Amino acid sequence: AQAISATTPPPRLRARSSPVVVRSMPRARFAPPARGLGNTAAAPPGPFAGRVFVMFGPPAAGKGTQCKLLAQEFGLVHISTGDVFRDLCERQTGMGVYAKEYMDKGCFVPDDLVLGYVRDRLSQEDVRERGCLLDGFPRTGFQAQELRKFADVEGVFVLSLPGGMLPKRAEGRRIDPETGDIYHLDFVPPPARVAQRVVRRDRDDACSFRQRVTVFNGQSRRGVPDLLRFS
């Protein structure tokens, strides 16, 4: 694993020689989310074909930003479980309504639901051809243990920054609802052409965000040792 700050440029990636083994299990397929969440544009097989990387860190640490930079530079598929389930909630799908009950309380989406989505997603062609970055998964030790059963994780990036910075980062964070691009009013302000349409991301308000950090500290930090065993 490698610890990087929220503003660190993306590190260089090196491919291992060992192949990734993804066991596909019969289950319901997950429909592709709206707005193209998880970049899936066709591309020739790359040097990280089939390989899986994990981006780990607390809420508002910059996981999505770092994943986007790495995905663009190395052709990896960026898979954000948070974006996927937020989109399902917005579309009020059956799965989204179920997940929203937990997300509104600042809790994690149940393991079986997230694991089912990730297992299915890793078996798809774009991941097999280009490799992927998992953003926001695994979040618990149990999820990390289960992930090891169907994927060989190439490496883990651990985002580290002082806890006191997190509320300010969340307070100024904005998202473009049309493109999914993330900005910050102080650090990375949106350009004038999109400034009028950016919105605060759901559950970034002070009360909800404190609950999210509490849940992360109580559940995700205990999973860090499991994550580090991947590397």
Side-chain angles (χ1 to χ4, degrees):
Q2 180 175 354
I4 55 179
S5 74
T7 57
T8 301
R12 306 300 300 180
L13 300 181
R14 292 178 298 173
R16 286 194 318 204
S17 58
S18 59
V20 170
V21 178
V22 179
R23 292 198 295 271
S24 178
M25 301 178 66
R27 60 189 62 242
R29 301 287 291 184
F30 285 79
R35 296 203 307 262
L37 301 175
N39 53 311
T40 58
F48 301 103
R51 288 173 163 78
V52 178
F53 296 88
V54 169
M55 185 69 69
F56 180 84
K63 297 184 296 294
T65 298
Q66 291 293 330
C67 281
K68 182 171 290 187
L69 292 171
L70 288 166
Q72 290 174 347
E73 182 168 353
F74 298 104
L76 295 159
V77 178
H78 175 199
I79 301 174
S80 169
T81 54
D83 284 349
V84 167
F85 284 102
R86 276 188 290 272
D87 178 74
L88 292 174
C89 290
E90 289 177 10
R91 290 192 284 146
Q92 298 184 332
T93 66
M95 190 184 305
V97 170
Y98 177 64
K100 192 174 187 299
E101 295 180 12
Y102 294 86
M103 296 171 68
D104 283 349
K105 299 174 185 176
C107 299
F108 292 151
V109 175
D111 288 334
D112 58 344
L113 198 61
V114 184
L115 285 164
Y117 168 76
V118 173
R119 184 186 290 108
D120 180 85
R121 188 68 184 85
L122 295 189
S123 71
Q124 294 177 18
E125 184 177 0
D126 58 340
V127 174
R128 295 199 305 268
E129 292 186 349
R130 296 159 52 195
C132 73
L133 281 157
L134 288 175
D135 170 3
F137 177 91
R139 294 182 183 237
T140 67
F142 176 74
Q143 289 180 1
Q145 292 166 6
E146 291 299 303
L147 178 62
R148 285 205 301 268
K149 295 178 181 179
F150 58 84
D152 180 17
V153 175
E154 182 83 11
V156 180
F157 300 101
V158 180
L159 287 177
S160 177
L161 71 167
M165 291 180 60
L166 296 175
K168 182 177 181 180
R169 291 174 62 87
E171 181 182 358
R173 184 163 57 177
R174 296 294 185 271
I175 186 169
D176 182 344
E178 294 187 10
T179 65
D181 290 339
I182 299 174
Y183 301 96
H184 192 281
L185 298 181
D186 296 325
F187 308 137
V188 188
R193 58 186 172 79
V194 302
Q196 296 302 314
R197 70 173 184 245
V198 296
V199 296
R200 171 175 278 186
R201 198 162 76 175
D202 187 35
R203 299 187 302 123
D204 267 358
D205 61 277
C207 182
S208 299
F209 187 75
R210 283 196 299 271
Q211 175 63 17
R212 291 170 60 196
V213 173
T214 297
V215 171
F216 172 84
N217 289 334
Q219 296 190 39
S220 296
R221 286 191 184 279
R222 290 202 296 267
V224 169
D226 292 297
L227 290 169
L228 297 182
R229 293 191 192 115
F230 287 134
S231 57

